[in-house]
Amino acid sequence: MGSLPDLLPPLRYPSARRDDSVVDDYHGVLVPDPYRWLEDPDAEEVKEFVEMQVELTDSVLAQCGERERLRRRITELYDHPRYGTPFKRGSKYFYFHNSGLQAQSVLYVQNELEGKAEVLLDPNTLSEDGTVALTMLAVREDGKYLAYGLSENGSDWVTIKVMSIEDKQCQPDTLSWVKFSTISWTHDGKGFFYSRYPAPKERVGLDVGTKTNINLNQELYYHFLGTDQLEDILCWKDPEHPKYKFGVYVTEDGKYVLLYISEDCDPVNKLYYFDLSLLPHGLEHLLHFKGVSETLPFVKLVDNFEAQYAAVANDDSEFTFITNKGAPRYKLVRVDLKEPQLWTEVLPEDEKAVLKSAEAVNGNQLLVSYLLDVKYVLQIRDLRTGQLLHNLPVDIGSICGISGRRENSEVFFSFTSFLTPGIIYRCNLATEVPEMKIFREATVPGFDRIAFEVKQHFFSSKDGTKIPMFIVSKKNIELDGSHPTLVYGYGGFSCSLTPYFSVSRIVLIRSLGVVFCTANIRGGGEYGEEWHKSGSLAKKQNCFDDFIAAAEFLISTGYTNPKSLCIEGGSNGGLLVAACINQRPDLFGCALAHVGVMDMLRFHKFTIGHAWTSDYGCSDNEEEFQWLIKYSPLHNVKRPWERSAEQHCQYPSTMLLTADHDDRVVPLHSLKLLATMQYLLCTSLESKPQTNPIIARIERKAGHGFGCPTQKLIDEAADRYSFMAKMLGVSWID
């Protein structure tokens, strides 16, 4: 293990202007914000700052000796066929396929599962560099038309287009200003529901993916096939609640349209419905309501934000929902719209496992998935009674991409794990005992799973809470405290980190001797809503305590040591990493923070940031400001003498990763933290600057990570992990 001066020469950091006149008053507390100017992505000064940081990072990466070897090896393993779970509409099957190194996966269609598949839509033909992605789609019930959403450069903004499936001809329909929307066709085939935001006043030459404007006043529309967007029918709006978002679902029988209303990221929603049979001539008949109501006259079934409701099935007016109402681990309930006060329980909340999904299939059966100690359980149950019919055998890993309908006796689902690249199962429910067969299986060249092992440990956090963690390594490693170790975490928004296959991490384990770990800290959904709530709002510090305890466990049990330990996380996980290096800089040798929420006092002012107040709180509230100021990464960077005696040390080598078209967590978060860390830690004249580098990798023509082209994924993995290898003093193992 080399010391840093042997690894890199001293770095010359760009000088970023500090405007000390910018000071905000939060409930009587004055908080400086000297890098407020970095919030304007169009300012020339910001562009110059970014260019200088790109040059600095390029100079560091050029000295990371394993960079090209990592890129080549990751590319070799990435180059294998991958398939998405097939789904059926009408008489046709649809699925995604990537031959290996294609920038974007291609949508295929076939008349029979064993028949010839044809390319339906290839996003790779829509841009030279693969930065146009197919991010949403809905096939009409008869399988004749496809509505799909395209995103450019990783932005959350989507343009909806329509294609005729038979002749694969693109239709003139073009719907703009779509974001955080669903697409749901009505069964008469005349059109579909979708949600969009008001168009900006200035549109010419506008690159919306780089804008930070707050997203407000979403509206629900119905689009008639073959018409101009200006003719779309406004179906719902709520100007008194500009933060509301609207999702819509047309039931499988085509009779009802359900409106899901949410305000933030909490798993709660209002639920309204409309009986489409009241419009005998289709949505055109809505015009008859004009003068009586400006929008579709939805009936309010649930008109508060007490719980989450999602439809599983309906038989005419009788609906089955999955909900967390009085059930933090979720349950199934039933209600008849004719008697909306009478709710009955179909499948009670499990004592230990979290009900993750329920799909109505094969007439009156349910395919349900549970999460038990971060391991999936898959079952067939009776839709009417909830009674268990069959357990489906699945390995330790993750179930995703479940595809099935009540009208069909076959279902498909995908399985992955740390050591399983991907298996698609086809299950026949028409037999007395479900017949489950492998439909497709991914094979990675040169990967031999028997060379690796996966263990699950439960360690104690600061308050004694037991936290699960998966550890993936080569088989039978010696616990002598010498292993380079990478710990990944998230801990927020009720999102669960379950096992999945990663080519880049397999390369790290095999070729760099890395031990890879996933810490299932509080704030996630691994144990239901109680687990989530115990890591949010006033209890957010539990997330950082859990992650720090994970690192301490790995050190105390002999896996690694602080100089050999790297932590990584993205988005809310980027916040996690940044907060932890502020609180325990002595515990880590390297940190990789992707697209993190770093300014906890102003995040709600940009794009969709206001929706995150459900997990974080908001600085506009005095009590919540006091929570946020204590851990906000931007406001807690401290020089060595400002910390406790045992933490009079450098910060770990740190790479902040962001992208110029990230309009989810806008780049200003990472840029402001970067400028702050470089000034206080690396260029301050008041003390000897630290020698561990603080740099940023700023991707062009990319966003929050969704729809990123394959080559960009490979390049980023090679860059960040070669940086990690250099900082930890790790060499290639043949």
Side-chain angles (χ1 to χ4, degrees):
M1 185 71 62
S3 62
L4 190 72
D6 297 328
L7 299 175
L8 280 178
L11 300 181
R12 294 180 60 86
Y13 290 94
S15 177
R17 176 175 63 87
R18 284 178 61 86
D19 185 352
D20 293 311
S21 67
V22 181
V23 180
D24 294 314
D25 185 335
Y26 291 94
H27 317 287
V29 179
L30 299 181
V31 180
D33 193 2
Y35 298 111
R36 178 74 58 83
W37 57 272
L38 282 168
E39 292 181 356
D40 182 3
D42 296 323
E44 288 303 317
E45 190 177 16
V46 175
K47 295 177 181 178
E48 291 173 6
F49 175 80
V50 168
E51 287 299 330
M52 289 188 292
Q53 296 295 340
V54 169
E55 290 179 9
L56 173 66
T57 300
D58 286 347
S59 72
V60 172
L61 291 175
Q63 300 174 66
C64 295
E66 306 301 350
R67 185 185 186 192
E68 291 309 315
R69 191 144 42 175
L70 274 170
R71 193 194 319 275
R72 287 196 301 270
R73 190 67 183 129
I74 292 172
T75 301
E76 289 171 4
L77 266 67
Y78 235 110
D79 193 7
H80 68 274
R82 300 182 294 280
Y83 292 87
T85 312
F87 65 94
K88 190 177 184 180
R89 290 294 181 271
S91 61
K92 301 180 185 299
Y93 291 89
F94 303 83
Y95 66 92
F96 282 96
H97 171 57
N98 191 308
S99 61
L101 296 177
Q102 289 177 288
Q104 302 287 342
S105 294
V106 179
L107 180 62
Y108 284 81
V109 61
Q110 56 191 150
N111 292 323
E112 298 177 354
L113 278 180
E114 308 303 328
K116 180 183 177 181
E118 299 179 349
V119 173
L120 179 58
L121 179 58
D122 183 358
N124 299 293
T125 64
L126 303 179
S127 63
E128 292 184 2
D129 56 5
T131 55
V132 173
L134 176 57
T135 57
M136 58 190 299
L137 63 85
V139 178
R140 203 170 75 173
E141 282 298 304
D142 58 8
K144 293 185 177 180
Y145 281 91
L146 167 72
Y148 59 97
L150 298 177
S151 166
E152 294 186 21
N153 302 321
S155 170
D156 281 334
W157 289 105
V158 169
T159 299
I160 296 179
K161 308 281 289 182
V162 177
M163 173 184 286
S164 167
I165 292 174
E166 289 298 329
D167 57 14
K168 302 178 180 59
Q169 293 297 307
C170 189
Q171 304 300 296
D173 309 64
T174 300
L175 312 181
S176 303
W177 313 115
V178 179
K179 200 176 195 182
F180 311 126
S181 176
T182 54
I183 301 174
S184 196
W185 290 86
T186 48
H187 285 214
D188 60 9
K190 294 181 179 179
F192 51 84
F193 293 96
Y194 73 101
S195 302
R196 65 178 170 92
Y197 286 92
K201 294 179 181 179
E202 298 180 5
R203 308 182 206 178
V204 178
L206 182 64
D207 187 353
V208 292
T210 64
K211 300 304 176 185
T212 63
N213 310 67
I214 192 169
N215 301 140
L216 298 172
N217 296 303
Q218 192 183 55
E219 297 174 333
L220 177 68
Y221 283 87
Y222 185 83
H223 173 74
F224 285 102
L225 196 59
T227 64
D228 190 277
Q229 187 174 16
L230 294 174
E231 300 177 38
D232 291 354
I233 295 178
L234 176 63
C235 295
W236 193 258
K237 64 178 181 177
D238 194 341
E240 294 184 4
H241 299 95
K243 296 179 181 178
Y244 281 9
K245 300 190 298 294
F246 308 117
V248 72
Y249 167 67
V250 175
T251 55
E252 200 168 316
D253 63 2
K255 184 175 181 181
Y256 295 94
V257 55
L258 303 181
L259 175 63
Y260 298 100
I261 303 174
S262 61
E263 185 173 25
D264 47 40
C265 292
D266 232 15
V268 297
N269 60 272
K270 296 183 179 184
L271 177 62
Y272 301 169
Y273 71 89
F274 180 72
D275 185 347
L276 290 168
S277 67
L278 298 177
L279 301 176
H281 303 294
L283 266 292
E284 297 103 321
H285 196 66
L286 179 64
L287 297 174
H288 291 284
F289 287 103
K290 297 300 181 183
V292 178
S293 171
E294 290 186 359
T295 57
L296 204 62
F298 283 95
V299 179
K300 299 176 180 180
L301 181 62
V302 177
D303 197 27
N304 57 58
F305 289 122
E306 290 182 354
Q308 184 178 57
Y309 297 86
V312 174
N314 73 294
D315 290 290
D316 195 23
S317 61
E318 188 178 66
F319 276 77
T320 301
F321 293 99
I322 184 171
T323 183
N324 56 14
K325 172 74 170 177
R329 289 182 298 279
Y330 292 82
K331 63 182 180 181
L332 296 183
V333 295
R334 185 167 293 139
V335 66
D336 194 317
L337 301 182
K338 297 174 183 176
E339 299 180 282
Q341 286 76 36
L342 299 178
W343 293 74
T344 58
E345 192 172 77
V346 179
L347 180 58
E349 179 187 29
D350 191 89
E351 293 182 357
K352 296 181 179 180
V354 181
L355 179 61
K356 298 299 288 185
S357 67
E359 305 287 338
V361 295
N362 191 33
N364 287 316
Q365 292 185 344
L366 288 171
L367 178 59
V368 302
S369 67
Y370 283 96
L371 197 60
L372 178 62
D373 284 333
V374 207
K375 297 180 283 285
Y376 271 85
V377 176
L378 200 59
Q379 300 175 338
I380 302 295
R381 288 182 175 269
D382 185 272
L383 172 62
R384 303 304 307 169
T385 66
Q387 179 183 356
L388 176 63
L389 301 177
H390 304 282
N391 281 304
L392 298 183
V394 291
D395 204 348
I396 295 175
S398 300
I399 300 295
C400 54
I402 296 174
S403 166
R405 309 191 95 190
R406 292 186 75 176
E407 64 192 45
N408 299 323
S409 60
E410 68 176 359
V411 296
F412 299 89
F413 61 88
S414 296
F415 173 85
T416 183
S417 73
F418 291 117
L419 304 180
T420 306
I423 300 175
I424 300 173
Y425 289 98
R426 181 185 184 186
C427 189
N428 180 13
L429 301 178
T431 57
E432 184 175 348
V433 176
E435 184 182 44
M436 199 167 82
K437 294 183 177 180
I438 293 177
F439 178 63
R440 288 191 176 113
E441 182 171 8
T443 302
V444 177
F447 168 65
D448 183 3
R449 63 176 293 157
I450 66 171
F452 306 87
E453 65 181 7
V454 180
K455 296 180 180 179
Q456 187 181 38
H457 291 273
F458 291 80
F459 61 89
S460 294
S461 189
K462 183 177 181 179
D463 62 0
T465 301
K466 291 293 184 181
I467 311 295
M469 176 164 59
F470 287 105
I471 300 178
V472 191
S473 67
K474 290 182 178 179
K475 273 192 175 176
N476 303 318
I477 62 171
E478 185 177 354
L479 299 184
D480 57 3
S482 67
H483 304 286
T485 299
L486 175 63
V487 189
Y488 190 89
Y490 186 79
F493 299 97
S494 198
C495 295
S496 303
L497 284 185
T498 59
Y500 70 95
F501 188 81
S502 165
V503 161
S504 59
R505 289 169 183 166
I506 288 296
V507 172
L508 293 183
I509 297 169
R510 184 171 66 181
S511 300
L512 293 177
V514 170
V515 174
F516 172 73
C517 312
T518 297
N520 298 107
I521 63 178
R522 282 173 284 185
E526 287 87 347
Y527 292 96
E529 270 307 284
E530 291 176 348
W531 194 254
H532 168 216
K533 294 302 183 186
S534 65
S536 63
L537 300 174
K539 299 179 179 179
K540 186 65 180 174
Q541 181 60 38
N542 284 337
C543 302
F544 315 133
D545 290 342
D546 292 354
F547 207 49
I548 289 168
E552 292 174 331
F553 171 83
L554 291 164
I555 294 168
S556 66
T557 51
Y559 278 98
T560 191
N561 63 82
K563 291 183 179 180
S564 300
L565 180 58
C566 178
I567 53 174
E568 183 177 21
S571 196
N572 176 75
L575 157 65
L576 170 71
V577 168
C580 286
I581 62 173
N582 277 338
Q583 296 182 17
R584 288 295 305 276
D586 58 303
L587 197 57
F588 315 107
C590 185
L592 305 172
H594 304 242
V595 294
V597 188
M598 306 305 193
D599 185 345
M600 301 309 297
L601 302 187
R602 288 175 58 79
F603 69 85
H604 59 290
K605 297 179 180 292
F606 308 104
T607 61
I608 198 60
H610 59 79
W612 313 332
T613 57
S614 55
D615 246 53
Y616 300 142
C618 180
S619 61
D620 294 342
N621 177 285
E622 184 172 2
E623 179 186 8
E624 296 170 5
F625 163 75
Q626 294 297 336
W627 309 337
L628 294 163
I629 193 64
K630 287 181 174 65
Y631 71 80
S632 175
L634 180 64
H635 303 93
N636 285 277
V637 179
K638 293 182 174 63
R639 299 180 175 104
W641 68 84
E642 297 174 312
R643 302 192 294 266
S644 60
E646 61 270 18
Q647 293 181 14
H648 279 189
C649 61
Q650 295 191 31
Y651 269 61
S653 302
T654 300
M655 176 185 281
L656 307 178
L657 297 97
T658 187
D660 63 353
H661 282 72
D662 186 348
D663 48 9
R664 185 80 58 89
V665 181
V666 287
L668 64 90
H669 283 277
S670 295
L671 298 183
K672 289 172 70 175
L673 179 60
L674 177 68
T676 301
M677 294 181 73
Q678 289 180 345
Y679 172 76
L680 292 178
L681 304 176
C682 306
T683 60
S684 171
L685 299 179
E686 298 178 37
S687 67
K688 181 181 178 181
Q690 78 165 37
T691 52
N692 291 340
I694 308 292
I695 62 173
R697 187 185 189 280
I698 305 169
E699 183 64 81
R700 311 295 176 87
K701 300 183 72 175
H704 201 60
F706 307 104
C708 192
T710 296
Q711 190 59 55
K712 283 185 180 290
L713 294 174
I714 293 172
D715 291 342
E716 185 194 284
D719 286 355
R720 70 180 188 266
Y721 290 139
S722 63
F723 174 78
M724 178 192 75
K726 182 75 170 179
M727 297 306 105
L728 300 185
V730 180
S731 299
W732 196 266
I733 303 169
D734 290 321

